[in-house]
Amino acid sequence: MKIFTALSDVNYDEMHLLTFKSLEMLIKRYSGNPILQKDDVPYPVATVHNAGMIKHENKYIMIFRSHKFNGRSILGKAVSYDGFNFVVDKHPFMIQSKEQPFKKYEAYGIEDPRIVKIDGEYLITYSAYSQYGVRIGLAKTKDFDHIQRVALITEADYRNVVIFPEKFNNLYARLDRPHSEISPWSIWISYSPDLIHWGQSQLIMRPMQYHWDEMKIGPGASPIKTSRGWLNIYHGVFPTMDGCVYRLGVALHKLEDPSVVIAVGDEWILQPEEEYEITGYVHNVVFTCGAIPEPDGTLKLYWGGADKVMCVGTAVIDELVDHCLSNLRQAL
């Protein structure tokens, strides 16, 4: 196991470093943000945020979280042909299950989906809340019209489970974040032969004291494969006298062994700056559950603004990788 990386571990001769761009240029906000809000939903909701994203049959599929007016969350679906303009389905995509064992553990709502395609199916992980804490549920679909719950794949308390889109030595791999002060709110990796039974767990990435992510971190979008490693867009939380601030950063994992973190960008790539990110259901939040790589090497990054609206921005994937390598955080 290798937790983080030291500067001495990096071969600078192999880096493809560009002139460092200002952080404000790494993620370009779409001028039409927010792209989805509660008034766009044809059924009663208080918020639209934290959406998993995928491309299916040349359409952008957004599975978003919404608070109902009792405070509990459900999942909705919206579809777009350009990744910016979305139309919401007339009915929710997923609500709390009425069948056991899911009913017991989803009683307080389902939240924050992530989506990945593997073995010809789309896998959706989501947070299931109940009086017993938060667990991760796994569902699958082939067409986003029919959905099948597979299993509850963690104990309490776990959040932010993202599955890699490839197997490693015939094993599925996932990143997650146990809700724990013991190794405080850190990112772990686990493996599974069947998506149900998970093990070989390792702690691979921790918050750094008095950095922008010093309180807790968690994986965001499903990892993106690049020629130089798996790009992990993660969120980090910093406590202030006026509450917590949620920002986004990037890390790079080794292609053949994602438990090895090659590098972590020392500075954030996105922070709350616009009014719709600063003020909302939860102030000062940018939080991603999905990103879509495009054939031209760009990326559409989607995030919830202040736990109230959905936003999108674009980036160049190679520039995010360069940010990890040229703006490298030192080892803990």
Side-chain angles (χ1 to χ4, degrees), residues 147-214:
I147 186 80
Q148 176 187 349
R149 283 170 167 83
V150 177
L152 294 158
I153 59 173
T154 69
E155 306 85 358
D157 281 317
Y158 279 78
R159 293 203 65 195
N160 305 312
V161 168
V162 299
I163 296 175
F164 283 82
E166 289 185 9
K167 293 181 182 179
F168 302 89
N169 297 319
N170 293 317
L171 296 175
Y172 298 95
R174 80 179 193 206
L175 302 176
D176 60 46
R177 202 282 309 285
H179 194 76
S180 171
E181 296 182 4
I182 296 174
S183 58
W185 293 288
S186 302
I187 294 176
W188 291 63
I189 193 168
S190 300
Y191 300 90
S192 172
D194 58 8
L195 291 171
I196 297 173
H197 305 92
W198 294 84
Q200 302 181 38
S201 302
Q202 302 177 56
L203 169 64
I204 60 171
M205 193 172 155
R206 290 178 287 200
M208 178 169 274
Q209 187 174 13
Y210 218 80
H211 271 60
W212 61 270
D213 54 358
E214 79 162 7

Side-chain angles (χ1 to χ4, degrees), residues 263-274:
V264 176
D266 194 49
E267 299 175 350
W268 66 73
I269 61 168
L270 189 72
Q271 72 162 347
E273 292 180 354
E274 300 295 332

